[in-house]
Coordinates of all heavy atoms in Angstrom, one line a residue:
M239 N 113.8 123.9 -138.1 CA 112.8 123.4 -139.0 C 111.4 124.0 -138.8 O 110.7 124.3 -139.7 CB 112.8 121.9 -138.8 CG 111.9 121.2 -139.9 SD 112.5 121.4 -141.6 CE 113.8 120.3 -141.6
L240 N 111.1 124.2 -137.5 CA 109.8 124.8 -137.2 C 109.7 126.2 -137.8 O 108.7 126.6 -138.3 CB 109.6 124.9 -135.7 CG 108.4 125.6 -135.2 CD1 107.1 124.8 -135.7 CD2 108.3 125.6 -133.7
A241 N 110.8 127.0 -137.8 CA 110.8 128.3 -138.3 C 110.5 128.3 -139.8 O 109.8 129.1 -140.3 CB 112.2 129.0 -138.1
L242 N 111.0 127.3 -140.5 CA 110.7 127.1 -142.0 C 109.2 126.9 -142.2 O 108.6 127.5 -143.1 CB 111.5 126.0 -142.6 CG 113.0 126.2 -142.6 CD1 113.6 124.9 -143.2 CD2 113.4 127.4 -143.5
M243 N 108.6 126.1 -141.4 CA 107.2 125.8 -141.5 C 106.4 127.0 -141.2 O 105.4 127.3 -141.9 CB 106.8 124.6 -140.6 CG 107.4 123.3 -141.1 SD 106.8 121.9 -140.2 CE 107.8 122.0 -138.7
L244 N 106.8 127.8 -140.2 CA 106.1 129.0 -139.9 C 106.2 130.0 -141.0 O 105.2 130.7 -141.3 CB 106.6 129.6 -138.6 CG 106.3 128.8 -137.3 CD1 107.0 129.4 -136.1 CD2 104.8 128.7 -137.1
I245 N 107.3 130.2 -141.6 CA 107.5 131.1 -142.6 C 106.6 130.7 -143.8 O 106.0 131.6 -144.4 CB 109.0 131.2 -143.0 CG1 109.8 131.9 -141.9 CG2 109.2 132.0 -144.3 CD1 111.3 131.8 -142.1
A246 N 106.7 129.5 -144.2 CA 105.9 129.0 -145.3 C 104.4 129.2 -145.0 O 103.6 129.6 -145.9 CB 106.2 127.6 -145.7
A247 N 104.0 128.9 -143.8 CA 102.5 129.0 -143.5 C 102.1 130.5 -143.4 O 100.9 130.7 -143.5 CB 102.3 128.3 -142.1
A248 N 103.0 131.4 -143.2 CA 102.6 132.8 -143.1 C 102.2 133.4 -144.4 O 101.6 134.5 -144.4 CB 103.8 133.6 -142.5
C249 N 102.5 132.8 -145.5 CA 102.1 133.3 -146.8 C 100.7 133.0 -147.1 O 100.3 131.9 -147.1 CB 103.1 132.7 -147.9 SG 102.7 133.4 -149.5
G250 N 99.9 134.0 -147.4 CA 98.5 133.8 -147.8 C 98.4 133.6 -149.3 O 99.4 133.4 -150.0
G251 N 97.3 133.6 -149.8 CA 97.1 133.5 -151.3 C 96.3 132.3 -151.6 O 96.0 131.4 -150.8
S252 N 96.0 132.1 -152.9 CA 95.3 131.0 -153.3 C 96.2 129.8 -153.5 O 97.4 129.9 -153.5 CB 94.5 131.3 -154.6 OG 95.5 131.4 -155.7
E253 N 95.6 128.6 -153.7 CA 96.4 127.4 -154.0 C 97.1 127.5 -155.3 O 98.1 126.8 -155.4 CB 95.5 126.2 -153.9 CG 94.9 125.9 -152.6 CD 94.1 124.6 -152.6 OE1 94.2 123.8 -153.5 OE2 93.2 124.5 -151.7
D254 N 96.7 128.4 -156.2 CA 97.4 128.5 -157.5 C 98.7 129.2 -157.3 O 99.6 129.2 -158.2 CB 96.6 129.3 -158.5 CG 95.3 128.5 -158.9 OD1 95.4 127.2 -158.7 OD2 94.3 129.1 -159.3
D255 N 98.9 130.0 -156.2 CA 100.1 130.7 -155.9 C 101.1 129.8 -155.3 O 101.1 129.5 -154.1 CB 99.9 131.9 -155.0 CG 99.0 132.9 -155.6 OD1 98.9 133.0 -156.8 OD2 98.3 133.7 -154.8
G256 N 102.0 129.3 -156.1 CA 103.1 128.4 -155.7 C 104.4 129.1 -155.5 O 104.5 130.2 -156.0
P257 N 105.4 128.5 -154.9 CA 106.7 129.1 -154.8 C 107.3 129.3 -156.2 O 107.1 128.5 -157.1 CB 107.4 128.2 -153.9 CG 106.7 126.9 -154.0 CD 105.3 127.2 -154.3
I258 N 108.2 130.3 -156.3 CA 108.9 130.5 -157.5 C 110.4 130.1 -157.2 O 110.8 130.0 -156.0 CB 108.8 131.9 -158.0 CG1 109.3 132.9 -157.0 CG2 107.4 132.2 -158.4 CD1 109.3 134.4 -157.5
G259 N 111.2 130.0 -158.2 CA 112.6 129.7 -158.0 C 113.4 131.0 -157.7 O 112.9 132.1 -157.9
V260 N 114.6 130.8 -157.3 CA 115.5 131.9 -157.0 C 115.7 132.8 -158.2 O 115.6 134.0 -158.1 CB 116.8 131.4 -156.4 CG1 117.8 132.6 -156.2 CG2 116.6 130.7 -155.1
G261 N 116.0 132.2 -159.4 CA 116.2 133.0 -160.6 C 115.0 133.8 -161.0 O 115.1 135.0 -161.3
E262 N 113.8 133.3 -160.9 CA 112.6 134.0 -161.2 C 112.4 135.2 -160.2 O 112.0 136.3 -160.5 CB 111.4 133.1 -161.2 CG 110.1 133.8 -161.7 CD 108.9 132.9 -161.8 OE1 109.1 131.7 -161.8 OE2 107.8 133.5 -161.9
A263 N 112.7 134.9 -158.9 CA 112.6 135.9 -157.9 C 113.5 137.1 -158.1 O 113.1 138.3 -158.0 CB 112.8 135.3 -156.5
I264 N 114.7 136.8 -158.6 CA 115.7 137.9 -158.9 C 115.2 138.7 -160.1 O 115.2 139.9 -160.1 CB 117.1 137.3 -159.3 CG1 117.7 136.7 -158.0 CG2 118.0 138.3 -159.9 CD1 118.9 135.8 -158.3
E265 N 114.6 138.0 -161.1 CA 114.1 138.7 -162.3 C 112.9 139.6 -161.9 O 112.8 140.8 -162.3 CB 113.6 137.7 -163.3 CG 114.7 137.0 -164.1 CD 114.2 136.0 -165.0 OE1 113.0 136.0 -165.4 OE2 115.0 135.1 -165.5
R266 N 112.0 139.1 -161.0 CA 110.9 139.9 -160.6 C 111.3 141.1 -159.7 O 110.8 142.2 -159.9 CB 109.9 139.0 -159.8 CG 109.1 138.1 -160.6 CD 108.1 137.4 -159.7 NE 107.3 136.4 -160.4 CZ 106.3 135.7 -159.9 NH1 106.0 135.9 -158.6 NH2 105.7 134.9 -160.6
G267 N 112.1 140.8 -158.7 CA 112.5 141.8 -157.7 C 111.2 142.4 -157.1 O 110.3 142.6 -157.9
S268 N 111.1 142.6 -155.9 CA 109.8 143.1 -155.3 C 110.0 143.5 -153.9 O 110.7 142.8 -153.1 CB 108.7 142.1 -155.4 OG 107.5 142.6 -154.9
D269 N 109.4 144.6 -153.5 CA 109.3 145.0 -152.1 C 108.3 144.2 -151.4 O 108.3 144.2 -150.1 CB 109.0 146.5 -152.0 CG 110.1 147.4 -152.5 OD1 111.2 146.9 -152.6 OD2 109.8 148.5 -152.8
E270 N 107.4 143.5 -152.1 CA 106.4 142.6 -151.5 C 107.0 141.2 -151.2 O 107.8 140.7 -152.0 CB 105.2 142.5 -152.4 CG 104.5 143.8 -152.7 CD 103.8 144.3 -151.4 OE1 103.3 143.5 -150.6 OE2 103.9 145.6 -151.2
P271 N 106.6 140.6 -150.1 CA 107.1 139.3 -149.8 C 106.7 138.3 -150.9 O 105.6 138.3 -151.5 CB 106.5 138.9 -148.5 CG 106.2 140.2 -147.9 CD 105.8 141.1 -149.0
Q272 N 107.7 137.4 -151.3 CA 107.5 136.3 -152.2 C 107.8 135.0 -151.6 O 108.7 134.9 -150.8 CB 108.4 136.5 -153.4 CG 108.2 137.9 -154.1 CD 109.2 138.0 -155.3 OE1 109.1 137.2 -156.3 NE2 110.2 138.8 -155.2
L273 N 107.1 134.0 -152.0 CA 107.4 132.6 -151.6 C 108.3 132.0 -152.6 O 108.0 131.9 -153.8 CB 106.1 131.8 -151.5 CG 106.0 130.5 -150.7 CD1 106.5 130.8 -149.3 CD2 104.7 129.9 -150.7
I274 N 109.6 131.7 -152.1 CA 110.7 131.3 -153.0 C 111.2 129.9 -152.5 O 111.4 129.7 -151.3 CB 111.8 132.3 -153.0 CG1 111.2 133.7 -153.4 CG2 112.9 131.9 -154.0 CD1 112.1 134.9 -153.3
S275 N 111.5 129.1 -153.5 CA 112.0 127.7 -153.2 C 113.4 127.6 -153.7 O 113.8 128.1 -154.8 CB 111.1 126.7 -153.9 OG 111.5 125.4 -153.6
G276 N 114.3 127.0 -152.9 CA 115.7 126.8 -153.2 C 116.5 126.1 -152.2 O 115.9 125.4 -151.3
Y277 N 117.8 126.3 -152.1 CA 118.6 125.6 -151.2 C 119.4 126.6 -150.4 O 119.8 127.7 -151.0 CB 119.6 124.7 -151.9 CG 118.9 123.6 -152.7 CD1 118.6 123.8 -154.0 CD2 118.6 122.4 -152.1 CE1 118.0 122.8 -154.8 CE2 118.0 121.4 -152.8 CZ 117.7 121.6 -154.2 OH 117.0 120.6 -154.9
V278 N 119.6 126.4 -149.1 CA 120.4 127.3 -148.3 C 121.8 126.6 -148.1 O 121.9 125.5 -147.6 CB 119.7 127.5 -146.9 CG1 120.6 128.4 -146.0 CG2 118.4 128.2 -147.1
I279 N 122.8 127.4 -148.4 CA 124.2 126.9 -148.3 C 125.0 127.9 -147.4 O 124.9 129.1 -147.6 CB 124.9 126.8 -149.7 CG1 124.1 125.9 -150.6 CG2 126.3 126.4 -149.6 CD1 124.2 124.4 -150.3
G280 N 125.8 127.3 -146.6 CA 126.8 128.2 -145.8 C 126.6 128.0 -144.3 O 125.6 127.3 -143.9
P281 N 127.5 128.6 -143.5 CA 127.4 128.4 -142.1 C 126.1 129.1 -141.6 O 125.6 130.0 -142.2 CB 128.6 129.2 -141.6 CG 129.2 129.9 -142.7 CD 128.6 129.4 -143.9
R282 N 125.6 128.6 -140.4 CA 124.3 129.1 -139.9 C 124.6 130.3 -139.1 O 124.3 130.4 -137.9 CB 123.7 128.0 -139.0 CG 123.3 126.8 -139.9 CD 122.7 125.7 -139.1 NE 122.3 124.7 -140.0 CZ 122.4 123.4 -139.8 NH1 122.9 123.0 -138.7 NH2 122.0 122.5 -140.7
R283 N 125.1 131.4 -139.8 CA 125.3 132.7 -139.1 C 124.7 133.7 -140.1 O 124.8 133.6 -141.3 CB 126.8 132.9 -138.9 CG 127.4 132.0 -137.9 CD 128.8 132.4 -137.6 NE 129.7 132.2 -138.7 CZ 130.5 131.1 -138.8 NH1 130.4 130.2 -137.9 NH2 131.3 131.0 -139.8
Q284 N 124.1 134.7 -139.5 CA 123.5 135.8 -140.3 C 124.6 136.4 -141.3 O 125.7 136.6 -140.9 CB 122.9 136.9 -139.4 CG 122.2 137.9 -140.2 CD 121.0 138.5 -139.5 OE1 120.6 138.0 -138.5 NE2 120.4 139.5 -140.1
Y285 N 124.1 136.7 -142.5 CA 124.9 137.3 -143.6 C 126.0 136.3 -144.2 O 126.7 136.7 -145.0 CB 125.6 138.6 -143.1 CG 124.7 139.6 -142.5 CD1 124.8 139.9 -141.2 CD2 123.7 140.2 -143.3 CE1 123.9 140.8 -140.6 CE2 122.9 141.1 -142.8 CZ 122.9 141.4 -141.4 OH 122.1 142.3 -140.9
E286 N 126.0 135.1 -143.8 CA 127.0 134.1 -144.3 C 126.3 133.0 -145.1 O 127.0 132.2 -145.7 CB 127.9 133.6 -143.3 CG 128.8 134.7 -142.6 CD 129.8 134.1 -141.7 OE1 130.2 132.9 -141.8 OE2 130.2 134.9 -140.8
Q287 N 125.0 133.0 -145.2 CA 124.3 132.0 -145.9 C 123.9 132.5 -147.3 O 123.7 133.7 -147.4 CB 123.1 131.5 -145.1 CG 123.4 130.7 -143.9 CD 122.1 130.2 -143.2 OE1 121.2 130.9 -143.1 NE2 122.1 128.9 -142.9
R288 N 123.8 131.6 -148.3 CA 123.3 132.0 -149.6 C 122.0 131.1 -149.9 O 121.9 130.0 -149.4 CB 124.3 131.7 -150.7 CG 125.6 132.4 -150.4 CD 126.2 133.3 -151.4 NE 125.6 133.7 -152.6 CZ 125.4 135.0 -152.8 NH1 125.7 136.0 -151.9 NH2 124.9 135.4 -154.0
F289 N 121.1 131.7 -150.6 CA 119.9 131.1 -151.0 C 120.1 130.8 -152.5 O 120.2 131.7 -153.3 CB 118.7 132.0 -150.7 CG 117.3 131.3 -150.8 CD1 117.2 130.0 -150.5 CD2 116.2 132.1 -151.1 CE1 115.9 129.4 -150.6 CE2 115.0 131.5 -151.1 CZ 114.8 130.1 -150.9
C290 N 120.1 129.5 -152.9 CA 120.6 129.1 -154.2 C 119.5 128.4 -155.0 O 118.7 127.7 -154.5 CB 121.7 128.1 -154.1 SG 123.0 128.6 -152.9
E291 N 119.6 128.6 -156.3 CA 118.7 127.9 -157.3 C 119.0 126.4 -157.3 O 118.1 125.6 -157.4 CB 118.9 128.5 -158.7 CG 118.0 127.9 -159.7 CD 116.6 128.4 -159.7 OE1 116.3 129.5 -159.2 OE2 115.7 127.7 -160.2
A292 N 120.3 126.1 -157.2 CA 120.7 124.7 -157.2 C 122.0 124.5 -156.3 O 122.6 125.5 -156.0 CB 121.0 124.3 -158.6
I293 N 122.3 123.3 -156.1 CA 123.6 123.0 -155.4 C 124.5 122.2 -156.3 O 124.0 121.4 -157.1 CB 123.4 122.2 -154.1 CG1 122.6 121.0 -154.3 CG2 122.8 123.1 -153.0 CD1 122.5 120.1 -153.0
L294 N 125.8 122.5 -156.2 CA 126.7 121.9 -157.1 C 127.2 120.5 -156.4 O 127.2 120.4 -155.2 CB 128.0 122.7 -157.3 CG 127.7 124.1 -157.9 CD1 129.0 124.9 -158.0 CD2 127.1 124.0 -159.3
E295 N 127.5 119.6 -157.2 CA 127.9 118.3 -156.7 C 129.4 118.4 -156.3 O 130.3 118.0 -157.1 CB 127.7 117.2 -157.7 CG 126.2 116.9 -158.0 CD 126.0 115.8 -158.9 OE1 126.9 114.9 -159.1 OE2 124.9 115.7 -159.5
S296 N 129.7 118.9 -155.2 CA 131.0 119.1 -154.7 C 131.0 118.8 -153.2 O 130.0 118.7 -152.6 CB 131.5 120.5 -155.0 OG 130.7 121.4 -154.3
F297 N 132.2 118.7 -152.6 CA 132.3 118.6 -151.2 C 133.3 119.6 -150.7 O 134.5 119.6 -151.1 CB 132.7 117.2 -150.7 CG 132.7 117.0 -149.2 CD1 131.5 116.8 -148.6 CD2 133.8 117.2 -148.5 CE1 131.4 116.7 -147.2 CE2 133.8 117.1 -147.1 CZ 132.6 116.8 -146.5
P298 N 132.9 120.5 -149.8 CA 131.6 120.7 -149.3 C 130.6 121.2 -150.4 O 131.1 121.8 -151.4 CB 131.7 121.7 -148.2 CG 132.9 122.5 -148.5 CD 133.8 121.6 -149.3
P299 N 129.3 121.1 -150.2 CA 128.4 121.6 -151.2 C 128.5 123.0 -151.4 O 128.8 123.8 -150.5 CB 127.0 121.3 -150.5 CG 127.2 120.2 -149.5 CD 128.6 120.5 -149.0
Q300 N 128.4 123.4 -152.7 CA 128.5 124.8 -153.1 C 127.3 125.3 -153.8 O 126.5 124.5 -154.3 CB 129.7 125.1 -153.9 CG 131.1 124.8 -153.3 CD 132.2 125.0 -154.2 OE1 132.1 125.6 -155.2 NE2 133.4 124.4 -153.8
C301 N 127.1 126.6 -153.8 CA 125.9 127.2 -154.3 C 126.0 127.3 -155.8 O 127.0 127.8 -156.4 CB 125.8 128.6 -153.7 SG 124.1 129.3 -153.8
G302 N 124.9 126.8 -156.5 CA 124.8 127.0 -158.0 C 124.1 128.3 -158.2 O 123.3 128.7 -157.5
E303 N 124.5 128.9 -159.3 CA 123.9 130.2 -159.7 C 122.5 130.0 -160.4 O 122.4 129.0 -161.1 CB 124.8 131.0 -160.5 CG 126.1 131.4 -159.8 CD 125.9 132.3 -158.6 OE1 124.9 133.1 -158.6 OE2 126.6 132.2 -157.6
P304 N 121.6 130.9 -160.3 CA 121.7 132.2 -159.6 C 121.5 132.0 -158.1 O 121.0 130.9 -157.6 CB 120.5 133.0 -160.1 CG 119.5 132.0 -160.6 CD 120.3 130.8 -161.0
S305 N 122.0 132.9 -157.3 CA 121.9 132.8 -155.8 C 121.7 134.2 -155.2 O 122.0 135.2 -155.9 CB 123.1 132.1 -155.3 OG 124.3 133.0 -155.4
L306 N 121.3 134.3 -154.0 CA 121.1 135.5 -153.3 C 121.8 135.4 -151.9 O 121.8 134.3 -151.3 CB 119.6 135.7 -153.0 CG 118.7 135.9 -154.2 CD1 117.3 135.7 -153.9 CD2 119.0 137.3 -154.8
R307 N 122.3 136.5 -151.4 CA 122.8 136.6 -150.0 C 121.6 136.5 -149.1 O 120.6 137.3 -149.3 CB 123.6 137.8 -149.8 CG 124.3 137.8 -148.4 CD 125.3 139.0 -148.3 NE 124.8 140.2 -148.7 CZ 124.2 141.1 -147.9 NH1 124.1 140.8 -146.6 NH2 123.8 142.3 -148.3
L308 N 121.6 135.7 -148.1 CA 120.4 135.5 -147.2 C 120.6 136.4 -146.0 O 121.6 136.2 -145.3 CB 120.3 134.0 -146.8 CG 119.2 133.6 -145.9 CD1 117.8 133.9 -146.6 CD2 119.3 132.1 -145.6
V309 N 119.7 137.2 -145.7 CA 119.7 138.0 -144.5 C 118.7 137.4 -143.5 O 117.4 137.4 -143.8 CB 119.3 139.5 -144.7 CG1 119.2 140.3 -143.4 CG2 120.4 140.1 -145.6
G310 N 119.2 136.8 -142.5 CA 118.4 136.0 -141.6 C 119.1 134.6 -141.4 O 120.1 134.4 -142.1
V311 N 118.6 133.8 -140.6 CA 119.3 132.5 -140.4 C 118.3 131.4 -140.6 O 117.2 131.4 -140.1 CB 119.9 132.4 -139.0 CG1 120.5 131.0 -138.8 CG2 120.9 133.4 -138.8
V312 N 118.6 130.4 -141.5 CA 117.8 129.3 -141.8 C 118.6 128.0 -141.4 O 119.7 127.9 -141.8 CB 117.4 129.3 -143.3 CG1 116.6 128.0 -143.6 CG2 116.6 130.5 -143.6
V313 N 117.9 127.1 -140.7 CA 118.5 125.8 -140.3 C 118.0 124.8 -141.3 O 116.8 124.5 -141.2 CB 118.3 125.5 -138.9 CG1 118.9 124.1 -138.6 CG2 118.8 126.5 -137.9
A314 N 118.8 124.4 -142.3 CA 118.4 123.4 -143.2 C 119.7 122.7 -143.7 O 120.7 123.3 -143.8 CB 117.7 124.0 -144.4
G315 N 119.5 121.4 -144.1 CA 120.6 120.7 -144.6 C 120.9 121.2 -146.1 O 120.0 121.7 -146.7
P316 N 122.1 121.0 -146.5 CA 122.5 121.5 -147.9 C 121.8 120.9 -149.0 O 121.7 121.4 -150.1 CB 124.0 121.3 -147.9 CG 124.3 120.2 -146.9 CD 123.3 120.4 -145.9
E317 N 121.2 119.7 -148.8 CA 120.5 119.0 -149.9 C 119.0 119.0 -149.7 O 118.3 118.3 -150.4 CB 121.0 117.6 -150.0 CG 122.5 117.5 -150.5 CD 123.0 116.1 -150.6 OE1 122.3 115.2 -150.8 OE2 124.3 116.0 -150.7
E318 N 118.6 119.9 -148.8 CA 117.2 120.0 -148.4 C 116.6 121.2 -149.1 O 117.0 122.3 -148.8 CB 117.0 120.1 -146.9 CG 115.6 120.2 -146.5 CD 115.5 120.4 -144.9 OE1 116.5 120.3 -144.2 OE2 114.4 120.6 -144.5
R319 N 115.7 121.0 -150.0 CA 115.0 122.1 -150.7 C 114.0 122.8 -149.7 O 113.2 122.0 -149.1 CB 114.3 121.7 -152.0 CG 113.8 122.8 -152.8 CD 113.4 122.3 -154.2 NE 113.1 123.3 -155.1 CZ 114.0 124.0 -155.8 NH1 115.3 123.7 -155.7 NH2 113.7 125.0 -156.6
V320 N 114.1 124.1 -149.6 CA 113.2 124.8 -148.6 C 112.4 125.8 -149.4 O 112.8 126.3 -150.5 CB 114.0 125.4 -147.5 CG1 114.7 124.4 -146.7 CG2 115.0 126.4 -148.0
T321 N 111.3 126.2 -148.8 CA 110.5 127.3 -149.3 C 110.4 128.4 -148.3 O 110.0 128.1 -147.1 CB 109.1 126.8 -149.7 OG1 109.2 125.8 -150.7 CG2 108.2 128.0 -150.2
L322 N 110.8 129.6 -148.6 CA 110.9 130.7 -147.7 C 110.1 131.9 -148.1 O 110.0 132.1 -149.4 CB 112.4 131.1 -147.5 CG 113.4 130.0 -147.1 CD1 114.8 130.6 -147.1 CD2 113.0 129.5 -145.7
L323 N 109.7 132.7 -147.2 CA 108.9 133.9 -147.5 C 109.8 135.1 -147.2 O 110.4 135.2 -146.1 CB 107.7 134.0 -146.7 CG 106.8 135.2 -146.9 CD1 106.2 135.2 -148.3 CD2 105.7 135.3 -145.8
G324 N 110.0 136.0 -148.2 CA 110.8 137.2 -148.0 C 110.9 138.1 -149.2 O 110.2 137.8 -150.2
T325 N 111.7 139.1 -149.2 CA 111.8 140.1 -150.2 C 113.1 140.0 -150.9 O 114.1 139.6 -150.3 CB 111.5 141.5 -149.7 OG1 112.5 141.8 -148.7 CG2 110.1 141.7 -149.2
V326 N 113.2 140.4 -152.2 CA 114.4 140.4 -152.9 C 114.8 141.8 -153.3 O 114.0 142.6 -153.8 CB 114.3 139.5 -154.2 CG1 115.6 139.6 -155.0 CG2 114.0 138.1 -153.9
D327 N 116.0 142.2 -152.9 CA 116.5 143.5 -153.3 C 117.9 143.4 -153.9 O 118.9 143.1 -153.1 CB 116.6 144.4 -152.0 CG 117.0 145.8 -152.3 OD1 117.0 146.2 -153.5 OD2 117.4 146.5 -151.4
G328 N 118.0 143.4 -155.2 CA 119.3 143.2 -155.8 C 119.7 141.8 -155.7 O 119.0 140.8 -156.1
D329 N 120.8 141.6 -155.0 CA 121.3 140.2 -154.7 C 121.1 139.8 -153.3 O 121.8 138.9 -152.8 CB 122.8 140.1 -155.1 CG 123.7 140.9 -154.1 OD1 123.2 141.8 -153.4 OD2 124.9 140.7 -154.1
V330 N 120.1 140.4 -152.6 CA 119.9 140.1 -151.2 C 118.4 139.5 -151.0 O 117.5 140.1 -151.6 CB 120.1 141.3 -150.3 CG1 119.7 141.1 -148.9 CG2 121.5 141.8 -150.4
F331 N 118.3 138.5 -150.3 CA 117.0 137.9 -149.9 C 116.8 138.1 -148.4 O 117.6 137.6 -147.6 CB 116.9 136.4 -150.2 CG 115.6 135.8 -149.8 CD1 114.4 136.0 -150.6 CD2 115.5 135.1 -148.7 CE1 113.2 135.5 -150.2 CE2 114.3 134.5 -148.3 CZ 113.1 134.7 -149.0
R332 N 115.8 138.9 -148.0 CA 115.5 139.2 -146.6 C 114.3 138.3 -146.2 O 113.2 138.5 -146.7 CB 115.2 140.6 -146.4 CG 116.4 141.5 -146.4 CD 116.1 143.0 -146.0 NE 117.3 143.7 -145.8 CZ 118.1 144.1 -146.8 NH1 117.9 143.8 -148.1 NH2 119.2 144.8 -146.5
L333 N 114.5 137.5 -145.2 CA 113.4 136.7 -144.6 C 112.4 137.6 -144.0 O 112.7 138.6 -143.4 CB 113.9 135.8 -143.5 CG 114.7 134.5 -144.0 CD1 115.3 133.8 -142.7 CD2 113.8 133.6 -144.7
S334 N 111.1 137.3 -144.2 CA 110.0 138.0 -143.6 C 109.7 137.3 -142.3 O 109.9 136.1 -142.1 CB 108.7 137.9 -144.5 OG 108.9 138.6 -145.7
A335 N 109.4 138.1 -141.3 CA 109.0 137.5 -140.0 C 107.7 136.8 -140.1 O 106.8 137.3 -140.7 CB 108.9 138.6 -138.9
P336 N 107.6 135.6 -139.5 CA 106.3 134.9 -139.6 C 105.3 135.5 -138.8 O 105.5 136.3 -137.9 CB 106.7 133.5 -139.0 CG 108.0 133.7 -138.2 CD 108.6 134.9 -138.8

């Protein structure tokens, strides 16, 4: 949880710059870090988590589309919306170091 707060705090900018959704981040694509809000689904191991726009009402929880493969590890509950700082390259979201 502390890592999430550090990542979110690492993003500069004005108060008007709010997080964007996963779908908008995919459309934009950028080598520059973006503050993105969504849900993290999957085991807490690198390359096995997905960063999702929504979660499906299923058991176990599944990722709703659009989604990105997450490079890095985030500790968050499946129903907890998180805001992360990172870059989008195709279908991959890479966490930025705080």
Side-chain angles (χ1 to χ4, degrees):
M239 189 60 77
L240 178 60
L242 293 176
M243 290 185 281
L244 291 174
I245 290 169
C249 182
S252 70
E253 290 182 22
D254 294 335
D255 294 336
I258 60 174
V260 172
E262 185 176 346
I264 292 169
E265 289 176 14
R266 284 185 184 183
S268 177
D269 292 340
E270 296 296 318
Q272 302 178 67
L273 198 56
I274 304 171
S275 185
Y277 299 91
V278 176
I279 302 289
R282 294 178 177 141
R283 293 187 290 264
Q284 184 144 352
Y285 305 113
E286 294 185 26
Q287 290 183 313
R288 303 234 13 120
F289 194 27
C290 316
E291 182 79 23
I293 52 174
L294 302 177
E295 293 184 20
S296 61
F297 186 81
Q300 296 179 19
C301 201
E303 295 298 329
S305 69
L306 297 162
R307 185 169 52 91
L308 181 62
V309 175
V311 177
V312 176
V313 177
E317 295 182 17
E318 179 182 354
R319 190 166 188 84
V320 296
T321 300
L322 305 173
L323 180 66
T325 58
V326 176
D327 182 16
D329 69 342
V330 175
F331 178 77
R332 284 184 170 72
L333 285 172
S334 294

